[in-house]
Amino acid sequence: MKKRIAIVGGTVAAVAVAGGVSWYLWNHKGSSSEQNKVYVTTVATLMGDVSGTQNRYAGVVEPQKTVKVKVDSSRKIKTVNVKEGDQVKEGDVLFEYDESALQDDLAQAELDLERLKNEASSLQNQVDTLTNEKKEAKEEDQLSYTIEIQTAQMNLKKNEYDQKTKEKQIEKLKSSSGDLEVKSELSGVIKKINESMINSSDSDMDSSESSGSGSETAFITIVATGTYRVKGMINETNMNSIVEGEPVLIRSRVDRDITWTGVMTGVDTKEPDSSSSSMDSMYSSGESSDTQTSSSNYPFYVELDSAEGLILGQHVYIEPDHGQDEVKDGIWLDEFYLVDVDTEAPYVWASSAKDKLEKKSVTLGEYDESLGKYEITEGLTKEDCIAFPDDTLEEGMDTAINSTGQILNNQISDSDLDSSMDSDLDSSMSSMDSSFDSDLDSDFQGEFDSGISVDEEVEP
């Protein structure tokens, strides 16, 4: 019966695991006291923080209104009276059309109309003549006359249409002759002038307009001054968080204590942002992009109660106004720090003078539902230190002040313990495997050199 020589490492592996566990426990010896310590924070620190989570959006200050002045493609520009950056008032002349060119166009249109009328008279005479000749024609020539008459009548109909079109053109040119000046509709700043349109031909302007780019077809762009609004962007996946008419705070990015107030005006779903959103990059991999998993961003706007102090183009934060900036007298504590608020004996977990955890009874006053805060009328001072309630807390546990102002649970969770042990055991196993391989090579190298290999078959 044949068999293979095999090296069984079960015992060695068991020894390695045991050694790794022992090494881990040795390195973590004496840490139980630290794990049982509860971190507390002063009431004054907690009152200085904004409670809960706020939906906050990035925003930018922009003009309340933007006007894009276009050029009549049938007319030529004579003079432009403004330049980029100029301040203009409502009614100021922006540019003027060339009157000489307009008069030339009017004269040409009148000549064209006269020609069409003469052509119509000739066609009508032709129809009358053919109709009379048809009456005297032979039977075999009747069809030919009928075709000629119908063709002339169709040409006459087309001529009548062309005359009506030309008459409208002449009427437009005559009305424009007294309206050579184009004036500003509002007070503001000239943001952009498309100078390429000044000397462009009619065909160039028509081509530009047919391209569908509104920013390119505008000759002059004017932005309103004095009145600002704030523009933000929101992804389609959370558009429902924008509520029209909701009061909001506009907060400075430089100084969070500087704020403005306003109201939401809703999401503009007609103008999605053309740039790729952060959601796109989240779902995409490599250089390809899956249009089925991408999402769009849409602008929303805030109407300001007052824009005093804001600068055009300034970047700000937009957040719902729940009264978070309202300064309250006394001690107001977030409700999640309180235990048994629905009973007659509410309390908090506080640190005693001996740095031991204890239950501290408090007396509750008013409740601010919008902020989720209770007024503490008795039982606490701003110098007291309290802990975040947890089912594992017990009176008498050691406490330590958390200087960062964050509430931390210093107990190692099961997942953290497993992760730490896995890391330590991997290190121990790697070290022991290396040592075992070295010993194995030393002890059995001679047997391998004598001609017996692991895979070699031998007879019993």
Side-chain angles (χ1 to χ4, degrees), residues 29 88 94 115 117 119 212 247 337 356 361 387 394 416 437:
K29 180 176 65 176
V88 294
L94 301 175
R115 176 182 55 81
K117 289 181 178 180
E119 183 181 309
Y337 281 103
K356 297 293 184 180
S361 298
E394 297 178 359
D416 293 336
D437 291 341

Side-chain angles (χ1 to χ4, degrees), residues 74-87:
S74 64
R75 307 170 72 177
K76 292 183 179 180
I77 299 172
K78 180 181 179 180
T79 57
V80 179
N81 302 328
V82 294
K83 61 181 182 298
E84 293 183 2
D86 282 356
Q87 293 272 353

